[in-house]
């Protein structure tokens, strides 16, 4: 079976490819955007290059004629290409919109025209934004607090409408802060571990009382595989637990035996106050169960980080 993974050279996309390659032919579409070090992305896909079931296409989801060509014969699309990062979207809201909203619309239109069986769309907890109650279930109002959140919400709505109006099977997985090997260098766990291992100060934006639901990458990949077979609409894919950024930093300091101090700086515009996933819907309808929790995930990530960086 032929599948397409967009953003396949990125953190999450490359993990999805690793799992799919055992039993599928995979096309990876990625434009190697320079949002962070492109060498990391090249390394992510390096192990797949010799696999005859893997095909790398360097190109953009904004290139409609390329998409038409590529999607011919594809049965499932794991759509992970995006301009990620809340802060990046505050600096450049047009790019976030173009890649995340228009790019997703291009994927859906091409998928519809070539009779793709299902599009599994990578969405985000950022669609919730303003907190009315916690944990967030899927009925919680969506009022994003960043251009990124708005662009991901627009993408979700396009997925829903393509299902309702045109009958294209779609599902949007709302990932909650994902971590693990190959994770993006701009994300907190990566920065904190990097600093802790050098005994450098760990700088937290704001007072550190923001809370996050951190989800280990293995759980995210499992959810994608489940969503190939079941589900439509939106699902929270988180750990179902939350921790404050202060407590996360303390945990990392203790795990690494570091002498780093915690410091605080101005909070960042567009950052949500809290994220916390109610995963009941995903558990009931997809059979999703986050097998690896924060502590086990941190140990795994630290082991990988030391093997590859220290
Ligand atoms: N990492 C997280 O914590 C997290 C949380 C919620 C949602 N998400 C979503 O998950 C998906 C994957 O995120 P990630 O953390 O792996 O980010 P990532 O930046 O590592 O991966 C995204 C990939 O998309 C590629 N890309 C960007 N613009 C493109 C374009 N125009 N055409 C083709 N490829 C393009 C990039 O080069 C990159 O390799 C994104 O949709 C993101 O919004 C991530």
């Amino acid at each position: 079976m032929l599948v397409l993974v967009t953003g396949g050279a990125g953190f999450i996309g490359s993990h999805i490819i690793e799992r799919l390659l055992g039993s599928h032919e995979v096309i990876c579409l990625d434009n190697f955007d320079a949002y962070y070090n492109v060498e990391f992305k090249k390394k992510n896909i390096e192990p797949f290059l010799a696999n005859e079931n893997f095909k790398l296409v360097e190109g953009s989801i904004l290139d409609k004629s390329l998409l038409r060509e590529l999607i011919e014969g594809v049965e499932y699309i794991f759509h992970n290409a995006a301009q990620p990062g809340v802060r990046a979207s505050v600096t450049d809201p047009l790019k976030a919109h173009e890649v995340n909203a228009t790019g997703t619309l291009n994927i859906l239109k091409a998928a519809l025209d070539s009779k793709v069986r299902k599009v599994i769309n990578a969405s985000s907890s950022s669609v919730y934004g303003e907190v009315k109650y916690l944990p967030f279930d899927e009925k919680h109002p969506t009022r994003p607090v960043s251009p990124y959140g708005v662009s991901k919400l627009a993408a979700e709505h396009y997925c829903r409408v393509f299902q309702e109006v045109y009958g294209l099977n779609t599902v949007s997985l709302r990932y909650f802060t994902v971590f693990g090997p190959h994770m993006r260098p701009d994300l907190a766990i990566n920065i904190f571990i990097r600093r802790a291992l050098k005994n450098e100060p760990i700088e937290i934006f704001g007072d550190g009382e923001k809370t996050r639901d951190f989800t280990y990458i293995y759980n995210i990949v499992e959810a994608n595989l489940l969503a190939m077979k079941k589900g439509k609409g939106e699902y929270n894919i988180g750990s179902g637990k939350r921790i404050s950024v202060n407590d996360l930093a303390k945990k990392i300091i203790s795990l690494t035996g570091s002498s780093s101090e915690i410091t605080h700086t101005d909070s960042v515009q567009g950052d949500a106050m809290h994220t916390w996933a109610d995963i009941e819907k995903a558990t009931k309808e997809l059979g999703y169960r986050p097998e690896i929790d924060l502590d086990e995930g941190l140990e795994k990530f630290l082991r990988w980080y030391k093997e590859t960086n220290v």
Side-chain angles (χ1 to χ4, degrees):
M1 188 193 295
L2 183 62
V3 303
L4 169 68
V5 180
T6 70
F11 163 41
I12 297 170
S14 60
H15 279 275
I16 294 175
I17 291 177
E18 186 182 28
R19 275 296 287 281
L20 290 171
L21 268 178
S23 44
H24 299 85
E25 282 177 70
V26 181
I27 301 173
C28 164
L29 172 65
D30 203 297
N31 70 346
F32 293 87
D33 185 271
Y35 170 59
Y36 64 85
N37 192 341
V38 171
E39 291 307 312
F40 293 163
K41 299 181 184 186
K42 289 189 179 152
K43 274 203 188 120
N44 288 344
I45 52 152
E46 208 173 68
F48 315 142
L49 294 174
N51 190 319
E52 58 180 15
N53 288 328
F54 178 76
K55 181 177 167 192
L56 172 66
V57 177
E58 190 165 344
S60 173
I61 56 168
L62 299 176
D63 182 343
K64 294 202 273 287
S65 58
L66 171 68
L67 289 184
R68 255 197 313 274
E69 237 173 76
L70 264 190
I71 290 179
E72 190 67 48
V74 164
E75 294 193 48
Y76 291 88
I77 300 178
F78 296 85
H79 175 42
N80 284 263
Q83 170 55 57
V86 161
R87 280 151 229 160
S89 79
V90 172
T91 313
D92 191 350
L94 291 183
K95 184 172 179 194
H97 179 86
E98 196 179 22
V99 180
N100 301 349
T102 307
T104 302
L105 184 55
N106 290 342
I107 291 285
L108 292 167
K109 180 67 173 69
L112 182 66
D113 292 346
S114 75
K115 304 196 171 40
V116 165
R117 286 166 70 173
K118 195 167 190 180
V119 176
I120 297 109
N121 174 50
S123 189
S124 166
S125 58
S126 302
V127 301
Y128 293 114
E130 211 173 276
V131 179
K132 295 287 179 207
Y133 57 85
L134 287 167
F136 295 135
D137 56 27
E138 289 80 353
K139 293 196 180 98
H140 185 285
T142 46
R143 197 177 161 77
V145 292
S146 66
Y148 170 74
V150 173
S151 69
K152 297 299 281 186
L153 184 58
E156 269 192 3
H157 280 304
Y158 279 127
C159 288
R160 180 181 54 76
V161 161
F162 266 66
Q163 172 112 35
E164 291 171 4
V165 176
Y166 307 109
L168 174 70
N169 289 321
T170 65
V171 62
S172 287
L173 303 180
R174 293 177 173 166
Y175 304 161
F176 281 66
T177 323
V178 189
F179 75 103
H182 307 275
M183 76 185 287
R184 291 194 345 242
D186 59 323
L187 295 175
I189 288 182
N190 200 335
I191 298 169
F192 290 4
I193 286 201
R194 202 183 315 147
R195 294 197 152 243
L197 289 173
K198 292 185 189 153
N199 298 310
E200 288 173 359
I202 293 181
E203 195 176 68
I204 292 177
F205 295 122
D207 66 5
E209 289 309 305
K210 288 192 168 123
T211 57
R212 290 287 176 271
D213 183 326
F214 291 100
T215 316
Y216 190 66
I217 183 67
Y218 175 86
N219 306 327
I220 296 286
V221 174
E222 284 298 303
N224 272 274
L225 295 183
L226 291 166
M228 253 179 115
K229 301 193 181 81
K230 287 186 202 164
K232 67 173 182 179
E234 299 79 37
Y235 294 92
N236 290 338
I237 304 298
S239 72
K241 298 189 179 115
R242 66 170 170 156
I243 181 172
S244 73
V245 182
N246 282 330
D247 286 344
L248 173 72
K250 286 181 203 152
K251 209 182 246 302
I252 286 176
I253 287 171
S254 132
L255 181 69
T256 51
S258 170
S259 59
S260 290
E261 280 174 24
I262 296 175
T263 63
H264 295 272
T265 176
D266 290 347
S267 67
V268 168
Q269 262 189 322
D271 251 356
M273 194 58 210
H274 302 288
T275 71
W276 183 10
D278 178 331
I279 54 173
E280 200 182 323
K281 184 179 176 208
T283 303
K284 270 195 187 146
E285 294 184 17
L286 302 178
Y288 168 72
R289 271 183 193 77
E291 276 179 42
I292 298 185
D293 66 10
L294 178 63
D295 288 333
E296 190 182 349
L298 282 177
E299 279 171 25
K300 283 178 183 293
F301 176 64
L302 179 61
R303 209 173 310 132
W304 172 83
Y305 190 92
K306 284 182 169 167
E307 279 165 18
T308 50
N309 292 279
V310 183

